[in-house]
Amino acid sequence: NKVRVSGGEFNLQSEGEKKSNLNRIFNLKKTEQKDTTKGSLNLLAHTLKVSGFRFTMKNYEKYVPKGDSIINFSDLDVNDISIDISDISLSSDTLFANVNNITGTDKSGFRLARLSGKTKVSGKGVLLSDFYMADSYSVIKSKYFYMKYNSPKDFSEFITIKRYPFCDTFTIIFIS
């Protein structure tokens, strides 16, 4: 089964202490009890292709002007996103996929010309083997790219995490 998306936009905006527009839109409240029963996830697509997509992320509380030609992770605006992923499968709590190509251009002018690799995503980390990333000026090739985290919640603080090698909260490792 294949899913194709042409056009579209996803906007993520900080709206106060550890809240986003998603909390408001989906009426997510911290006081509500979480459903901890294990469910099963059925994948309905084994191939995903996206073209002409846009992603914005605004965090005005953390915004610091950095100049027009520097990526500002508090004010992202990525256009012309194209995604080509195949061989998507799920085993237990781990998602497997071949990321054939991801491209996009931030308003700063940074262009991700290519991102690819064989991907394994779990609740504790992301592993890309045969990792390849290129922008307009450089190429990174690595046998493995590994990003470790305690839980997916760590991404909600991605902008403010102090990134030190082998940090307990969030670690990124390249192995050639």
Side-chain angles (χ1 to χ4, degrees):
N1 297 335
K2 297 179 182 181
V3 172
R4 290 184 184 263
V5 176
S6 182
E9 187 169 321
F10 181 76
N11 300 295
L12 183 59
Q13 182 170 324
S14 174
E15 294 183 347
E17 188 66 29
K18 297 189 180 189
K19 291 183 183 175
S20 72
N21 58 326
L22 299 181
N23 296 92
R24 178 177 39 81
I25 293 167
F26 294 108
N27 198 24
L28 302 174
K29 294 186 169 86
K30 286 189 174 195
T31 57
E32 293 178 7
Q33 289 287 350
K34 291 183 181 178
D35 181 2
T36 58
T37 57
K38 293 218 174 201
S40 63
L41 177 65
N42 292 321
L43 290 177
L44 300 177
H46 297 287
T47 301
L48 172 66
K49 292 194 180 204
V50 176
S51 63
F53 199 78
R54 180 178 180 210
F55 171 77
T56 65
M57 183 172 70
K58 311 288 183 196
N59 186 346
Y60 295 111
E61 292 178 359
K62 307 283 183 186
Y63 179 79
V64 176
K66 297 185 180 207
D68 292 340
S69 62
I70 298 172
I71 296 173
N72 190 333
F73 288 96
S74 295
D75 188 20
L76 285 176
D77 190 346
V78 184
N79 288 290
D80 299 323
I81 297 171
S82 292
I83 300 171
D84 180 359
I85 300 175
S86 63
D87 300 323
I88 302 167
S89 65
L90 187 66
S91 178
S92 186
D93 70 340
T94 304
L95 179 73
F96 297 88
N98 287 335
V99 176
N100 302 313
N101 197 20
I102 298 177
T103 64
T105 304
D106 181 63
K107 70 179 181 177
S108 66
F110 173 79
R111 171 146 176 74
L112 178 61
R114 182 174 186 83
L115 175 68
S116 62
K118 295 175 184 164
T119 309
K120 178 180 172 182
V121 180
S122 73
K124 298 286 185 180
V126 175
L127 174 67
L128 281 95
S129 56
D130 300 325
F131 177 79
Y132 183 92
M133 186 172 89
D135 66 11
S136 302
Y137 305 100
S138 58
V139 170
I140 298 173
K141 291 186 204 179
S142 182
K143 184 67 179 159
Y144 299 103
F145 168 86
Y146 180 62
M147 189 166 44
K148 175 189 173 287
Y149 40 85
N150 292 325
S151 78
K153 288 181 183 179
D154 288 344
F155 284 98
S156 66
E157 297 296 315
F158 180 77
I159 294 169
T160 59
I161 289 173
K162 291 183 173 83
R163 293 176 193 87
Y164 299 109
F166 308 106
C167 166
D168 286 339
T169 306
F170 199 90
T171 304
I172 297 176
I173 301 171
F174 288 97
I175 302 172
S176 294

